[in-house]
Amino acid sequence: MDASILAALQTARRAKRPVALATNLRSGAQKLIFKDGAEGPLCLDVDMIVGMQDMLARDESGTLQTGAGPVFVQVHNPPPRLIVVGAVHIADPLARMGAMAGFGVTLIDPRRAFATSQRFEEHAVSTEWPDDAMAELKPDTRSAIVTLTHDPKIDDPALDAALKSPAFYIGALGSRKTHAARLARLKELGHDDATLARIRGPVGLDIGALSPAEIAVSIVAQIVQARRKP
């Protein structure tokens, strides 16, 4: 591998920037594919680069046939993220199931008695207020955000920040009545109906879930559905 290609690949991976490495299996020439461009000596036409960017978006490595020979595309995406707001009883099974589904999990709750590293020792924990935590985490297109507290002081700032981000999934726990009141408050913060429609509320697939674990299953299933079948 060319030293400059290797250095650029390592830099992208350290920065958690989605990248794919395209290698011509006949010549060995390579190119790095990013969602917003490409760099490297391997000659590819625009349509081929677009196709590889689509593979990057789908987390799908594979071989493409080109006029210059087969090109193997190896995707190096950072793991998708699940940001859980509220260290309530549902948070524990949700965090564990999210991790099992391949998500890097971060738990946010300013109530230090709830959000402890001992309780969530396998996951990142933030005791900052949600708006500050979100500003640091910078949710992106590979991020899912779920609020669980029912407390407007905690959930609303998180949802406000989530709606301003490109997160692919936003969900909020609560009844339809609770959700209606939540939407009214968020509308007062300047969000229109089209933006508010991004919030899945009540959160989770309708599978009749009752227990914390069952509700967690319904939420993770809906997140996977949103990611795989947008």
Side-chain angles (χ1 to χ4, degrees):
M1 178 183 293
D2 181 88
S4 62
I5 291 285
L6 177 59
L9 176 61
Q10 292 175 332
T11 297
R13 295 187 66 179
R14 282 195 298 269
K16 299 187 184 305
R17 181 184 182 189
V19 59
L21 175 64
T23 304
N24 185 299
L25 299 179
R26 184 178 298 168
S27 68
Q30 295 180 311
K31 198 178 205 71
L32 293 178
I33 308 298
F34 301 97
K35 65 179 182 180
D36 54 357
E39 60 182 67
L42 174 60
C43 292
L44 297 169
D45 62 33
V46 173
D47 289 341
M48 190 64 66
I49 291 175
V50 170
M52 292 177 182
Q53 289 172 331
D54 185 53
M55 293 175 70
L56 179 63
R58 299 197 310 269
D59 273 337
E60 183 181 292
S61 298
T63 301
L64 299 179
Q65 298 299 324
T66 75
V71 173
F72 180 65
V73 182
Q74 184 177 13
V75 170
H76 294 270
N77 271 327
R81 293 187 291 170
L82 170 58
I83 301 171
V84 180
V85 180
V88 299
H89 53 300
I90 297 172
D92 182 41
L94 178 59
R96 286 188 282 115
M97 291 179 193
M100 290 175 64
F103 289 81
V105 179
T106 299
L107 193 289
I108 300 172
D109 198 320
R111 302 169 298 181
R112 295 175 183 269
F114 293 87
T116 65
S117 56
Q118 292 78 16
R119 185 179 171 201
F120 298 97
E121 60 183 358
E122 296 181 0
H123 313 293
V125 175
S126 171
T127 54
E128 300 293 327
W129 281 93
D131 46 352
D132 293 330
M134 288 289 191
E136 184 175 341
L137 290 169
K138 296 180 174 58
D140 55 19
T141 56
R142 294 175 61 78
S143 301
I145 301 164
V146 181
T147 64
L148 301 175
T149 73
H150 294 168
D151 184 343
K153 296 191 303 296
I154 297 175
D155 284 359
D156 287 7
L159 290 170
D160 181 39
L163 290 170
K164 294 173 182 176
S165 80
F168 76 88
Y169 178 92
I170 304 171
L173 187 68
S175 67
R176 287 180 173 80
K177 181 179 180 181
T178 297
H179 190 57
R182 175 189 295 131
L183 294 180
R185 294 192 303 270
L186 290 169
K187 184 171 286 190
E188 291 179 357
L189 294 178
H191 297 289
D192 59 25
D193 289 338
T195 302
L196 293 173
R198 294 176 61 198
I199 303 175
R200 313 294 181 100
V203 71
L205 296 180
D206 185 6
I207 59 173
L210 294 176
S211 71
E214 290 174 344
I215 294 171
V217 167
S218 75
I219 295 172
V220 171
Q222 191 174 55
I223 291 172
V224 171
Q225 181 185 63
R227 184 179 177 218
R228 298 302 187 187
K229 294 184 176 182

